[in-house]
Amino acid sequence: MKKLVAVGAITMALSGCFDKGAADDGLAKAISAVNAIEVENNSPDIAVKSWWRVKDSSAVVNGEICKSNLKLASPYFEKLTQLSTGDLSTKGRCDVKPTAFDRQITKVDVQSDTRAVVTAQIKNVSPPEEGAILDDDDKKAKETGEPFQYVLERRDTKSGWKISKISNFPSYARDWQEVYKKHEPSTNRYVYDYYQ
């Protein structure tokens, strides 16, 4: 839920930029699309579907922010190009199309008046990038997707449902794994190769 609030805060902050003419058309349209989404949470499954709509629209916003950031960072990339060969001086990349998903709710378990669990099977339906080769395991994983579980809570029967936890069950795992883990303070022990 904190991520949803963060997207909302970003949306409000960016909408102020539009008044000053600082953002381009693509970003303005993406933010406008987010603002047009009606958030519905009167039942657990409708709340999850609403969450998916917001997440899909945020992918478009993030793509437009990436393009805007690349334009702003062009002096940086120009300097790197002067100091390295093409293999090292990447100019950055923004996905042309957001990743597409097929999401199917497989079970809604209303456990009490204030708690429910929605289970879904989610597949990445974006085509492989040019040059990518899918082996048999990749094909099977792509066709199968992964199960996800959304725990929803509400204060009372008059309140709307809110997602409190999202977990998935990847093929390599033995149990559900929490998707949005609490941030742990960094020890800063790693020498990140990207910055070198």
Side-chain angles (χ1 to χ4, degrees), residues 152-180:
L152 294 96
E153 298 175 347
R154 62 181 178 176
R155 192 172 38 249
D156 53 43
T157 57
K158 295 176 185 170
S159 303
W161 291 94
K162 292 186 178 184
I163 299 170
S164 61
K165 182 178 174 185
I166 302 174
S167 303
N168 71 332
F169 205 133
S171 58
Y172 58 82
R174 293 180 179 216
D175 201 357
W176 291 100
Q177 297 185 347
E178 196 166 339
V179 173
Y180 295 96

Side-chain angles (χ1 to χ4, degrees), residues 77 79-92:
F77 292 117
K79 298 290 183 189
L80 287 182
T81 301
Q82 294 172 18
L83 294 168
S84 63
T85 63
D87 293 339
L88 295 179
S89 62
T90 177
K91 290 189 177 181

Side-chain angles (χ1 to χ4, degrees), residues 116-135:
V117 177
V118 174
T119 307
Q121 192 70 19
I122 302 179
K123 301 176 190 178
N124 182 336
V125 294
S126 298
E129 292 181 359
E130 188 176 329
I133 299 171
L134 277 78
D135 63 23

Side-chain angles (χ1 to χ4, degrees), residues 38-113:
E38 286 196 37
V39 174
E40 300 174 282
N41 62 355
N42 57 326
S43 73
D45 55 329
I46 288 175
V48 169
K49 289 176 183 177
S50 202
W51 171 266
W52 290 337
R53 282 193 300 276
V54 173
K55 293 298 283 184
D56 287 344
S57 67
S58 75
V60 177
V61 170
N62 288 335
E64 293 300 328
I65 289 171
C66 178
K67 290 175 194 174
S68 180
N69 287 344
L70 284 181
K71 288 177 195 171
L72 291 172
S74 62
Y76 161 77
F77 292 117
E78 287 172 19
K79 298 290 183 189
L80 287 182
T81 301
Q82 294 172 18
L83 294 168
S84 63
T85 63
D87 293 339
L88 295 179
S89 62
T90 177
K91 290 189 177 181
R93 182 190 127 170
C94 300
D95 291 332
V96 176
K97 284 182 159 181
T99 306
F101 299 98
D102 174 38
R103 301 177 179 108
Q104 301 295 321
I105 291 178
T106 56
K107 184 178 180 185
V108 178
D109 180 17
V110 179
Q111 298 176 342
S112 71
D113 285 343

Side-chain angles (χ1 to χ4, degrees), residues 7 13 34 48 80 115 150 196:
V7 169
V34 171
V48 169
L80 287 182
R115 180 182 162 87
Y150 299 80
Q196 308 314 319

